[in-house]
Amino acid sequence: MTAAAGSLDATAAMEALRVAVDEALDQALPPESAWPATLHRAVRYSLFAGGKRIRPVLVLAAGEAVGGRREDLMPLACAVEMVHTYSLVHDDLPAMDDDDLRRGKPTSHKVFGEAIAILAGDALLTRAFHLLAEVPEGWDAGRVRRRVRATALLGEACGTTGLIGGQVMDLESEGRAIGAPDLECLHRAKTGALLSACVRGGAVLGGAREEELDQLSRYASAIGLAFQVVDDVLDATEDAAHLGKTAGKDEAAQKATYVSLHGLERARGMAASLRQDALDALAPLGPRGELLGAIARLIVDRHS
Ligand code: GRG
């Protein structure tokens, strides 16, 4: 799909960032043949299975919007994709969501077995923070401080009040009638926290002023929720061939979703209104926010 925006060719810009991220990810990991080869095959199998790379692109777009340098942003861009992929590998395990299909391919545990899939997820999470700790010689104190602050934002987003806490709430709410406030809390933790860390972390690394950081935080909060509302709409309306993962799972598991609570049309309306909130938050950045605006449109208008 294309991401229509002002004068910028946003689709081409995002594709260029995606290619740069893929190259950096390739360099950040041992080759498949490195010991222990089974593990590295599993790590690369999931990481290079065709994800959309929305999170690393957000890091680069947010950082560059406030004047950041690509070399300062790329380690965080790689780290967030590693964390995201770990969470998908673990979420697909029989003990969690028990899924056979991810990114259009058999899930990690189906190909490598449960033990290796667990360890591949662990390896991705560990490498993410290892990479961020590899601060080059000669960096000045300000650059190091920004890296530490962004790393802490990522750690918080992955932790018990973010991704992991949201996953626990998700598991505990299965088959139970939860209301709209709990659903929002769940998704702000499970999906929104990591997306926020991408935007805020990129902005911190780029040297954003506190005022810019506030604007970008409002943008991140809106796209974080929009992402999940759209995910629920897609789960209810698209087939597995489009999604690259099992469709209709939420309904089958009797999970509360934005569609089950509000109906399809209202859920679509909520996504559109969150997209507008995101675009409004970017307004003070002017043309510097154009790519981030295109990403907000892409998140809401996507079909997979
Ligand atoms: C196991 C700690 C732990 C957490 C799992 C990621 C997650 C939490 C669950 C996955 C299920 C799910 C539908 C989550 C919400 C939305 C989401 C993260 C969708 C996948 O992200 P995309 O669409 O995927 O960016 P790609 O494959 O393009 O990277």
Side-chain angles (χ1 to χ4, degrees):
M1 67 156 300
T2 56
S7 56
L8 178 83
D9 183 349
T11 308
M14 274 187 257
E15 179 58 14
L17 294 183
R18 199 191 58 71
V19 169
V21 166
D22 275 9
E23 276 171 22
L25 281 170
D26 186 41
Q27 282 166 23
L29 289 165
E32 282 197 358
S33 55
W35 181 91
T38 321
L39 184 69
H40 289 127
R41 268 208 313 279
V43 162
R44 284 177 171 269
Y45 174 83
S46 294
L47 198 59
F48 295 105
K52 294 182 289 298
R53 309 295 195 224
I54 287 175
R55 293 159 189 78
V57 167
L58 276 170
V59 171
L60 299 176
E64 292 181 359
V66 294
R69 284 180 288 199
R70 180 76 56 91
E71 62 187 291
D72 286 358
L73 303 168
M74 196 55 97
L76 182 65
C78 290
V80 299
E81 189 63 21
M82 289 178 194
V83 166
H84 168 58
T85 305
Y86 124 77
S87 78
L88 298 178
V89 170
H90 280 193
D91 183 64
D92 290 333
L93 288 167
M96 302 243 189
D97 215 29
D98 192 10
D99 226 315
D100 297 349
L101 195 64
R102 171 69 66 183
R103 293 177 163 173
K105 294 169 72 174
T107 43
S108 182
H109 64 275
K110 285 281 161 192
V111 178
F112 298 97
E114 259 184 76
I116 293 294
I118 292 169
L119 292 166
D122 293 342
L124 281 161
L125 177 61
T126 307
R127 179 62 186 140
F129 286 95
H130 179 196
L131 183 63
L132 289 170
E134 290 174 328
V135 175
E137 289 275 327
W139 271 25
D140 64 41
R143 229 168 154 190
V144 174
R145 210 170 31 246
R146 288 195 288 275
R147 172 75 74 89
V148 171
R149 191 174 170 199
T151 305
L153 284 173
L154 180 60
E156 188 181 4
C158 302
T160 55
T161 57
L163 189 64
I164 294 174
Q167 180 76 347
V168 171
M169 191 175 177
D170 196 13
L171 292 170
E172 290 180 347
S173 61
E174 216 162 286
R176 280 183 39 226
I178 64 166
D182 278 347
L183 189 67
E184 181 169 333
C185 169
L186 191 168
H187 290 309
R188 284 206 180 276
K190 194 176 97 167
T191 313
L194 185 56
L195 288 163
S196 267
C198 295
V199 175
R200 287 167 54 80
V204 163
L205 290 173
R209 290 178 283 111
E210 284 307 314
E211 188 189 55
E212 289 171 327
L213 197 54
D214 284 349
Q215 290 152 1
L216 289 170
S217 298
R218 283 198 291 119
Y219 164 83
S221 166
I223 60 161
L225 203 54
F227 191 94
Q228 189 58 51
V229 177
V230 171
D231 214 63
D232 288 353
V233 169
L234 293 177
D235 187 75
T237 55
E238 297 283 342
D239 57 23
H242 261 102
L243 295 180
K245 62 180 182 179
T246 315
K249 279 212 82 173
D250 296 337
E251 196 183 347
Q254 292 187 302
K255 271 190 182 173
T257 69
Y258 285 95
V259 174
S260 72
L261 283 187
H262 304 284
L264 196 52
E265 283 321 303
R266 267 195 72 200
R268 284 192 172 123
M270 287 168 80
S273 142
L274 287 162
R275 176 183 55 199
Q276 192 54 48
D277 291 348
L279 297 176
D280 290 347
L282 292 176
L285 288 172
R288 290 181 299 144
E290 214 175 311
L291 185 54
L292 289 167
I295 298 172
R297 290 189 192 90
L298 178 87
I299 284 174
V300 173
D301 300 337
R302 71 201 160 101
H303 294 285
S304 66

Coordinates of all heavy atoms in Angstrom, one line a residue, residues 80-166:
V80 N 14.7 -2.5 19.0 CA 13.2 -2.7 19.1 C 12.7 -3.8 18.2 O 11.7 -4.4 18.6 CB 12.5 -1.3 18.9 CG1 12.9 -0.2 19.8 CG2 12.6 -0.8 17.4
E81 N 13.3 -4.0 17.1 CA 12.8 -5.0 16.2 C 13.1 -6.4 16.8 O 12.3 -7.4 16.7 CB 13.3 -4.9 14.8 CG 12.7 -5.8 13.8 CD 11.2 -5.6 13.5 OE1 10.7 -4.5 13.8 OE2 10.6 -6.6 13.0
M82 N 14.3 -6.5 17.5 CA 14.6 -7.8 18.1 C 13.6 -8.0 19.3 O 13.2 -9.2 19.4 CB 16.1 -7.7 18.7 CG 17.1 -7.7 17.6 SD 18.8 -7.5 18.4 CE 19.8 -7.2 16.9
V83 N 13.4 -7.0 20.1 CA 12.4 -7.2 21.2 C 11.0 -7.6 20.6 O 10.4 -8.5 21.1 CB 12.3 -5.9 22.0 CG1 11.1 -5.9 22.9 CG2 13.6 -5.7 22.8
H84 N 10.6 -6.9 19.6 CA 9.3 -7.2 19.0 C 9.2 -8.6 18.5 O 8.3 -9.4 18.8 CB 9.0 -6.2 17.9 CG 7.9 -6.5 17.0 ND1 6.6 -6.6 17.5 CD2 7.8 -6.7 15.7 CE1 5.8 -6.9 16.5 NE2 6.5 -7.0 15.4
T85 N 10.3 -9.0 17.8 CA 10.3 -10.4 17.3 C 10.3 -11.4 18.4 O 9.6 -12.5 18.3 CB 11.5 -10.6 16.3 OG1 11.4 -9.6 15.3 CG2 11.5 -12.0 15.6
Y86 N 11.1 -11.2 19.4 CA 11.1 -12.1 20.6 C 9.7 -12.2 21.1 O 9.2 -13.3 21.4 CB 12.1 -11.6 21.7 CG 11.4 -11.4 23.1 CD1 11.1 -12.5 23.9 CD2 11.1 -10.1 23.5 CE1 10.5 -12.3 25.1 CE2 10.5 -9.9 24.7 CZ 10.2 -11.0 25.5 OH 9.6 -10.8 26.8
S87 N 8.9 -11.1 21.2 CA 7.6 -11.2 21.8 C 6.7 -12.0 20.9 O 5.8 -12.7 21.4 CB 7.1 -9.8 22.1 OG 6.6 -9.1 20.9
L88 N 6.8 -11.9 19.6 CA 6.0 -12.7 18.7 C 6.3 -14.2 18.8 O 5.4 -15.0 18.9 CB 6.2 -12.2 17.3 CG 5.8 -10.8 17.0 CD1 6.1 -10.4 15.5 CD2 4.3 -10.5 17.3
V89 N 7.6 -14.5 18.9 CA 8.0 -15.9 19.0 C 7.4 -16.5 20.3 O 6.9 -17.6 20.3 CB 9.6 -16.0 18.9 CG1 10.0 -17.5 19.3 CG2 10.1 -15.6 17.6
H90 N 7.6 -15.8 21.4 CA 7.0 -16.3 22.6 C 5.5 -16.3 22.7 O 4.9 -17.2 23.2 CB 7.6 -15.5 23.8 CG 9.0 -15.9 24.2 ND1 9.7 -15.6 25.3 CD2 9.9 -16.7 23.5 CE1 10.9 -16.1 25.4 NE2 11.1 -16.8 24.3
D91 N 4.9 -15.3 22.1 CA 3.4 -15.2 22.1 C 2.8 -16.4 21.3 O 1.8 -16.9 21.6 CB 3.0 -13.9 21.4 CG 1.5 -13.8 21.4 OD1 0.9 -13.7 22.6 OD2 0.8 -13.8 20.4
D92 N 3.6 -16.9 20.3 CA 3.0 -18.0 19.5 C 3.2 -19.3 20.1 O 2.6 -20.3 19.6 CB 3.8 -18.0 18.1 CG 3.4 -16.8 17.2 OD1 2.3 -16.3 17.4 OD2 4.2 -16.4 16.4
L93 N 3.9 -19.4 21.2 CA 4.2 -20.7 21.8 C 2.9 -21.4 22.3 O 1.9 -20.7 22.7 CB 5.1 -20.6 23.0 CG 6.6 -20.2 22.7 CD1 7.3 -19.7 24.0 CD2 7.3 -21.4 22.1
P94 N 2.9 -22.7 22.4 CA 1.7 -23.4 22.9 C 1.2 -22.9 24.3 O 0.0 -22.9 24.5 CB 2.1 -24.9 23.0 CG 3.2 -25.0 21.9 CD 3.9 -23.7 21.9
A95 N 2.1 -22.5 25.1 CA 1.7 -22.1 26.5 C 1.1 -20.7 26.4 O 0.5 -20.3 27.4 CB 2.9 -22.0 27.4
M96 N 1.2 -20.0 25.3 CA 0.6 -18.6 25.2 C -0.5 -18.7 24.2 O -1.5 -19.3 24.5 CB 1.7 -17.6 24.8 CG 2.9 -17.6 25.8 SD 3.0 -16.1 26.7 CE 4.6 -16.3 27.5
D97 N -0.3 -18.1 23.0 CA -1.4 -18.0 22.1 C -1.5 -19.2 21.2 O -2.5 -19.4 20.5 CB -1.2 -16.8 21.2 CG -2.5 -16.1 20.8 OD1 -3.5 -16.2 21.6 OD2 -2.6 -15.5 19.8
D98 N -0.5 -20.1 21.2 CA -0.5 -21.4 20.5 C -0.9 -21.2 19.0 O -1.9 -21.6 18.6 CB -1.5 -22.3 21.2 CG -1.3 -23.8 20.7 OD1 -0.3 -24.0 19.9 OD2 -2.1 -24.6 21.0
D99 N 0.0 -20.6 18.3 CA -0.2 -20.3 16.9 C 0.7 -21.0 15.9 O 1.9 -21.3 16.3 CB -0.2 -18.8 16.6 CG -1.3 -18.3 15.8 OD1 -1.7 -19.0 14.8 OD2 -1.9 -17.3 16.2
D100 N 0.2 -21.3 14.7 CA 1.0 -22.1 13.8 C 1.6 -21.2 12.7 O 2.5 -21.7 11.9 CB 0.1 -23.1 13.0 CG -0.4 -24.2 14.0 OD1 0.1 -24.2 15.1 OD2 -1.3 -25.0 13.6
L101 N 1.1 -20.0 12.5 CA 1.5 -19.2 11.4 C 1.8 -17.8 11.9 O 1.1 -17.2 12.7 CB 0.2 -19.1 10.5 CG 0.4 -18.6 9.1 CD1 1.4 -19.5 8.3 CD2 -0.9 -18.5 8.3
R102 N 3.0 -17.3 11.4 CA 3.4 -15.9 11.8 C 4.2 -15.3 10.6 O 5.1 -16.0 10.1 CB 4.2 -16.0 13.0 CG 4.9 -14.7 13.4 CD 4.0 -13.6 13.9 NE 3.3 -13.9 15.1 CZ 2.3 -13.1 15.7 NH1 2.0 -12.0 15.1 NH2 1.8 -13.5 16.8
R103 N 3.9 -14.1 10.2 CA 4.6 -13.5 9.1 C 4.5 -14.4 7.9 O 5.5 -14.5 7.1 CB 6.0 -13.1 9.5 CG 6.1 -12.0 10.6 CD 7.5 -11.7 11.1 NE 7.5 -10.4 11.8 CZ 8.5 -9.9 12.4 NH1 9.7 -10.6 12.5 NH2 8.5 -8.7 13.0
G104 N 3.4 -15.1 7.7 CA 3.2 -15.9 6.5 C 3.9 -17.2 6.5 O 4.0 -17.9 5.5
K105 N 4.6 -17.5 7.6 CA 5.4 -18.8 7.7 C 5.1 -19.6 8.9 O 4.5 -19.0 9.9 CB 6.9 -18.4 7.7 CG 7.4 -17.7 6.5 CD 8.8 -17.1 6.6 CE 9.8 -18.2 6.7 NZ 11.2 -17.6 6.7
P106 N 5.4 -20.9 8.9 CA 5.2 -21.6 10.2 C 5.9 -21.0 11.3 O 7.0 -20.5 11.2 CB 5.7 -23.0 9.9 CG 5.8 -23.1 8.4 CD 6.0 -21.7 7.9
T107 N 5.3 -21.0 12.5 CA 5.9 -20.3 13.7 C 7.2 -21.1 14.1 O 7.4 -22.2 13.8 CB 4.9 -20.3 14.9 OG1 4.3 -21.6 14.9 CG2 3.9 -19.2 14.7
S108 N 8.0 -20.4 14.9 CA 9.3 -20.9 15.2 C 9.2 -22.2 15.9 O 10.0 -23.2 15.5 CB 10.0 -19.9 16.2 OG 11.3 -20.3 16.5
H109 N 8.3 -22.4 16.8 CA 8.3 -23.7 17.5 C 7.8 -24.8 16.6 O 8.2 -26.0 16.9 CB 7.4 -23.6 18.8 CG 6.0 -23.4 18.6 ND1 5.5 -22.1 18.4 CD2 4.9 -24.2 18.4 CE1 4.2 -22.2 18.2 NE2 3.8 -23.5 18.2
K110 N 7.1 -24.5 15.6 CA 6.7 -25.5 14.6 C 7.9 -26.0 13.8 O 7.9 -27.2 13.4 CB 5.6 -25.0 13.6 CG 4.3 -24.8 14.3 CD 3.6 -26.2 14.3 CE 2.4 -26.2 15.3 NZ 1.9 -27.5 15.6
V111 N 8.8 -25.1 13.6 CA 10.0 -25.5 12.7 C 11.1 -26.0 13.6 O 11.8 -27.0 13.2 CB 10.5 -24.2 11.9 CG1 11.7 -24.6 11.1 CG2 9.4 -23.7 11.0
F112 N 11.4 -25.4 14.7 CA 12.6 -25.7 15.5 C 12.3 -26.4 16.8 O 13.2 -26.9 17.5 CB 13.4 -24.4 15.8 CG 13.8 -23.7 14.6 CD1 13.1 -22.6 14.1 CD2 15.0 -24.1 13.9 CE1 13.5 -22.0 12.9 CE2 15.4 -23.4 12.8 CZ 14.7 -22.4 12.3
G113 N 11.0 -26.6 17.2 CA 10.7 -27.2 18.4 C 10.6 -26.1 19.5 O 11.1 -25.0 19.4
E114 N 9.8 -26.4 20.6 CA 9.5 -25.4 21.6 C 10.8 -24.9 22.3 O 10.9 -23.7 22.6 CB 8.6 -26.0 22.7 CG 7.2 -25.6 22.5 CD 6.3 -26.2 23.6 OE1 6.4 -25.7 24.7 OE2 5.6 -27.2 23.4
A115 N 11.7 -25.8 22.7 CA 12.8 -25.4 23.5 C 13.7 -24.4 22.7 O 14.1 -23.3 23.2 CB 13.7 -26.6 23.8
I116 N 13.9 -24.6 21.4 CA 14.7 -23.7 20.6 C 14.0 -22.4 20.4 O 14.6 -21.3 20.4 CB 15.2 -24.4 19.3 CG1 16.2 -25.5 19.6 CG2 15.8 -23.3 18.3 CD1 17.5 -25.1 20.2
A117 N 12.7 -22.5 20.2 CA 11.9 -21.3 20.0 C 12.0 -20.4 21.3 O 12.1 -19.1 21.1 CB 10.4 -21.6 19.7
I118 N 11.9 -21.0 22.4 CA 12.0 -20.2 23.7 C 13.4 -19.5 23.7 O 13.5 -18.3 24.0 CB 11.8 -21.1 24.9 CG1 10.3 -21.5 25.0 CG2 12.2 -20.3 26.2 CD1 10.0 -22.6 26.0
L119 N 14.4 -20.3 23.4 CA 15.8 -19.8 23.5 C 16.0 -18.7 22.4 O 16.8 -17.8 22.7 CB 16.8 -20.9 23.4 CG 16.7 -21.9 24.7 CD1 17.5 -23.2 24.4 CD2 17.3 -21.2 25.9
A120 N 15.4 -18.9 21.2 CA 15.6 -17.9 20.2 C 15.0 -16.6 20.6 O 15.6 -15.5 20.4 CB 15.0 -18.4 18.9
G121 N 13.8 -16.6 21.3 CA 13.2 -15.4 21.8 C 14.2 -14.8 22.9 O 14.4 -13.6 22.9
D122 N 14.7 -15.7 23.8 CA 15.6 -15.2 24.8 C 16.8 -14.5 24.2 O 17.3 -13.5 24.7 CB 16.1 -16.3 25.7 CG 14.9 -16.9 26.6 OD1 13.9 -16.3 26.7 OD2 15.1 -18.0 27.0
A123 N 17.3 -15.1 23.1 CA 18.6 -14.6 22.5 C 18.3 -13.3 21.9 O 19.1 -12.3 21.9 CB 19.0 -15.6 21.4
L124 N 17.1 -13.1 21.3 CA 16.8 -11.8 20.6 C 16.7 -10.7 21.7 O 17.2 -9.6 21.5 CB 15.5 -11.9 19.9 CG 15.6 -12.6 18.5 CD1 14.3 -13.1 18.0 CD2 16.2 -11.6 17.5
L125 N 16.0 -11.0 22.8 CA 15.8 -10.0 23.9 C 17.2 -9.6 24.4 O 17.5 -8.5 24.7 CB 14.9 -10.6 24.9 CG 14.7 -9.7 26.2 CD1 14.0 -8.4 25.7 CD2 13.8 -10.4 27.2
T126 N 18.0 -10.6 24.7 CA 19.3 -10.4 25.3 C 20.2 -9.6 24.3 O 20.9 -8.6 24.7 CB 20.0 -11.7 25.6 OG1 19.1 -12.5 26.4 CG2 21.3 -11.5 26.3
R127 N 20.2 -10.0 23.0 CA 21.0 -9.2 22.1 C 20.6 -7.8 21.9 O 21.4 -6.9 21.7 CB 21.0 -9.9 20.7 CG 21.8 -9.3 19.6 CD 23.3 -9.2 20.0 NE 24.1 -8.4 19.0 CZ 25.1 -7.6 19.2 NH1 25.5 -7.4 20.5 NH2 25.7 -6.9 18.3
A128 N 19.3 -7.5 22.1 CA 18.8 -6.1 22.0 C 19.5 -5.2 23.0 O 20.0 -4.2 22.7 CB 17.3 -6.1 22.2
F129 N 19.6 -5.7 24.2 CA 20.2 -4.8 25.3 C 21.7 -4.9 25.2 O 22.4 -3.9 25.5 CB 19.6 -5.2 26.7 CG 18.2 -4.7 26.8 CD1 17.1 -5.5 26.5 CD2 18.0 -3.4 27.2 CE1 15.8 -5.1 26.6 CE2 16.7 -2.9 27.2 CZ 15.6 -3.8 27.0
H130 N 22.3 -6.0 24.8 CA 23.7 -6.1 24.5 C 24.1 -5.1 23.5 O 25.1 -4.3 23.7 CB 24.0 -7.5 24.1 CG 25.4 -7.8 23.8 ND1 25.8 -8.9 23.0 CD2 26.6 -7.2 24.1 CE1 27.2 -8.9 22.9 NE2 27.6 -7.9 23.5
L131 N 23.4 -5.0 22.4 CA 23.7 -4.1 21.3 C 23.7 -2.6 21.8 O 24.6 -1.8 21.5 CB 22.7 -4.3 20.2 CG 22.8 -3.4 18.9 CD1 24.1 -3.8 18.2 CD2 21.6 -3.7 18.0
L132 N 22.7 -2.3 22.7 CA 22.6 -0.9 23.2 C 23.7 -0.6 24.1 O 24.1 0.6 24.3 CB 21.2 -0.7 23.8 CG 20.0 -0.7 22.9 CD1 18.7 -0.7 23.6 CD2 20.1 0.6 22.0
A133 N 24.2 -1.6 24.8 CA 25.3 -1.4 25.7 C 26.7 -1.3 25.0 O 27.7 -0.8 25.7 CB 25.4 -2.6 26.8
E134 N 26.7 -1.6 23.8 CA 28.0 -1.5 23.0 C 28.2 0.0 22.6 O 28.0 0.3 21.4 CB 28.0 -2.4 21.8 CG 28.1 -3.9 22.2 CD 27.9 -4.8 21.1 OE1 27.2 -4.5 20.1 OE2 28.5 -5.9 21.1
V135 N 28.6 0.8 23.5 CA 28.8 2.3 23.2 C 30.2 2.4 22.6 O 31.2 2.0 23.2 CB 28.6 3.1 24.5 CG1 29.0 4.6 24.2 CG2 27.2 3.0 25.0
P136 N 30.3 3.0 21.4 CA 31.6 3.2 20.8 C 32.6 4.0 21.7 O 32.1 4.9 22.4 CB 31.3 3.9 19.5 CG 29.9 3.6 19.2 CD 29.2 3.5 20.6
E137 N 33.8 3.7 21.6 CA 34.9 4.5 22.3 C 34.8 6.0 21.8 O 34.5 6.2 20.7 CB 36.3 4.0 21.8 CG 36.7 2.7 22.3 CD 37.4 2.7 23.6 OE1 38.0 3.7 23.9 OE2 37.2 1.8 24.4
G138 N 35.0 6.9 22.7 CA 35.2 8.3 22.3 C 33.9 9.1 22.3 O 33.9 10.2 22.0
W139 N 32.8 8.4 22.6 CA 31.5 9.2 22.7 C 31.6 10.2 23.8 O 32.1 9.9 24.9 CB 30.3 8.3 22.9 CG 29.8 7.7 21.6 CD1 30.4 7.6 20.4 CD2 28.4 7.3 21.4 NE1 29.5 7.1 19.5 CE2 28.3 6.9 20.1 CE3 27.3 7.2 22.2 CZ2 27.2 6.4 19.5 CZ3 26.1 6.7 21.7 CH2 26.1 6.3 20.3
D140 N 31.0 11.4 23.6 CA 31.0 12.4 24.7 C 29.9 12.0 25.7 O 29.0 11.2 25.4 CB 30.9 13.8 24.2 CG 29.5 14.0 23.5 OD1 28.5 13.6 23.9 OD2 29.6 14.7 22.4
A141 N 29.9 12.7 26.8 CA 29.0 12.3 27.9 C 27.5 12.5 27.5 O 26.7 11.7 27.9 CB 29.3 13.1 29.2
G142 N 27.2 13.5 26.7 CA 25.9 13.8 26.3 C 25.3 12.7 25.5 O 24.2 12.2 25.6
R143 N 26.1 12.2 24.5 CA 25.7 11.1 23.6 C 25.4 9.8 24.4 O 24.5 9.1 24.2 CB 26.8 10.9 22.6 CG 26.3 10.8 21.2 CD 27.5 10.9 20.3 NE 27.3 10.3 19.0 CZ 28.2 10.0 18.1 NH1 29.5 10.3 18.3 NH2 27.9 9.4 17.0
V144 N 26.4 9.5 25.4 CA 26.2 8.3 26.2 C 24.9 8.4 27.1 O 24.2 7.5 27.2 CB 27.4 8.1 27.1 CG1 27.2 7.0 28.1 CG2 28.7 7.9 26.3
R145 N 24.7 9.6 27.6 CA 23.5 9.9 28.5 C 22.3 9.6 27.7 O 21.3 9.0 28.2 CB 23.6 11.3 29.0 CG 22.9 11.4 30.4 CD 23.2 12.7 31.1 NE 23.3 13.9 30.2 CZ 24.4 14.6 30.1 NH1 25.5 14.2 30.8 NH2 24.5 15.6 29.3
R146 N 22.2 10.1 26.4 CA 21.0 9.9 25.6 C 20.8 8.4 25.3 O 19.7 7.9 25.4 CB 21.1 10.7 24.3 CG 21.0 12.2 24.5 CD 20.7 12.9 23.2 NE 21.9 13.0 22.4 CZ 22.9 13.9 22.5 NH1 22.8 14.8 23.4 NH2 23.9 13.9 21.7
R147 N 21.9 7.7 25.1 CA 21.8 6.2 24.8 C 21.2 5.5 26.1 O 20.4 4.7 26.0 CB 23.2 5.7 24.4 CG 23.2 4.1 24.3 CD 22.6 3.6 23.1 NE 23.3 3.8 21.9 CZ 24.2 2.9 21.4 NH1 24.5 1.8 22.0 NH2 24.9 3.2 20.3
V148 N 21.7 5.9 27.3 CA 21.3 5.3 28.5 C 19.8 5.6 28.7 O 19.0 4.7 29.1 CB 22.1 5.8 29.7 CG1 21.5 5.3 31.0 CG2 23.6 5.3 29.6
R149 N 19.4 6.8 28.5 CA 18.0 7.2 28.7 C 17.1 6.4 27.7 O 16.0 5.9 28.1 CB 17.8 8.7 28.4 CG 16.5 9.3 28.9 CD 16.4 10.8 28.8 NE 15.1 11.3 29.0 CZ 14.6 12.5 28.6 NH1 15.5 13.3 28.1 NH2 13.4 12.8 28.8
A150 N 17.5 6.3 26.5 CA 16.7 5.5 25.5 C 16.6 4.1 25.9 O 15.6 3.4 25.7 CB 17.2 5.7 24.1
T151 N 17.7 3.5 26.4 CA 17.7 2.1 26.8 C 16.8 1.9 27.9 O 16.1 0.9 28.0 CB 19.2 1.7 27.1 OG1 20.1 2.0 26.1 CG2 19.3 0.2 27.5
A152 N 16.8 2.8 28.9 CA 15.9 2.7 30.0 C 14.4 2.8 29.5 O 13.5 2.0 30.0 CB 16.1 3.8 31.0
L153 N 14.1 3.6 28.5 CA 12.7 3.7 28.0 C 12.3 2.3 27.4 O 11.2 1.8 27.6 CB 12.6 4.8 26.9 CG 12.6 6.2 27.4 CD1 12.7 7.1 26.2 CD2 11.3 6.5 28.2
L154 N 13.3 1.7 26.7 CA 13.0 0.4 26.1 C 12.8 -0.7 27.2 O 11.9 -1.5 27.1 CB 14.1 0.0 25.1 CG 13.9 -1.4 24.4 CD1 12.6 -1.4 23.6 CD2 15.1 -1.7 23.5
G155 N 13.7 -0.6 28.2 CA 13.6 -1.6 29.3 C 12.2 -1.5 30.0 O 11.6 -2.5 30.3
E156 N 11.8 -0.3 30.2 CA 10.5 -0.1 30.9 C 9.3 -0.6 30.0 O 8.4 -1.3 30.5 CB 10.3 1.4 31.2 CG 9.1 1.7 32.1 CD 8.9 3.2 32.3 OE1 9.6 4.0 31.8 OE2 8.0 3.5 33.1
A157 N 9.5 -0.3 28.7 CA 8.4 -0.7 27.8 C 8.3 -2.2 27.7 O 7.2 -2.8 27.4 CB 8.6 -0.1 26.4
C158 N 9.4 -3.0 27.8 CA 9.4 -4.4 27.7 C 8.9 -5.1 29.1 O 8.7 -6.3 29.1 CB 10.8 -5.0 27.5 SG 11.6 -4.5 26.2
G159 N 8.9 -4.3 30.1 CA 8.9 -4.9 31.5 C 7.5 -5.2 32.0 O 6.5 -5.3 31.2
T160 N 7.4 -5.2 33.3 CA 6.2 -5.7 33.9 C 5.0 -4.7 33.8 O 3.8 -5.1 33.9 CB 6.4 -6.0 35.4 OG1 6.9 -4.8 36.0 CG2 7.4 -7.1 35.6
T161 N 5.3 -3.5 33.5 CA 4.2 -2.5 33.3 C 4.0 -2.3 31.8 O 3.1 -1.5 31.5 CB 4.5 -1.1 34.0 OG1 5.7 -0.6 33.5 CG2 4.5 -1.3 35.5
G162 N 4.8 -2.9 31.0 CA 4.6 -2.8 29.5 C 4.2 -4.1 28.9 O 3.2 -4.7 29.3
L163 N 5.1 -4.5 28.0 CA 4.8 -5.7 27.1 C 4.4 -6.9 28.0 O 3.4 -7.6 27.7 CB 6.1 -6.0 26.3 CG 6.1 -7.0 25.2 CD1 5.1 -6.6 24.1 CD2 7.5 -7.1 24.6
I164 N 5.3 -7.2 29.0 CA 5.1 -8.4 29.7 C 3.8 -8.3 30.6 O 3.0 -9.2 30.7 CB 6.3 -8.8 30.6 CG1 7.5 -9.1 29.6 CG2 6.0 -10.0 31.5 CD1 8.8 -9.4 30.3
G165 N 3.6 -7.2 31.3 CA 2.4 -7.0 32.1 C 1.2 -7.1 31.2 O 0.2 -7.7 31.6
G166 N 1.2 -6.5 30.0 CA 0.1 -6.5 29.1 C -0.2 -7.9 28.7 O -1.4 -8.3 28.6

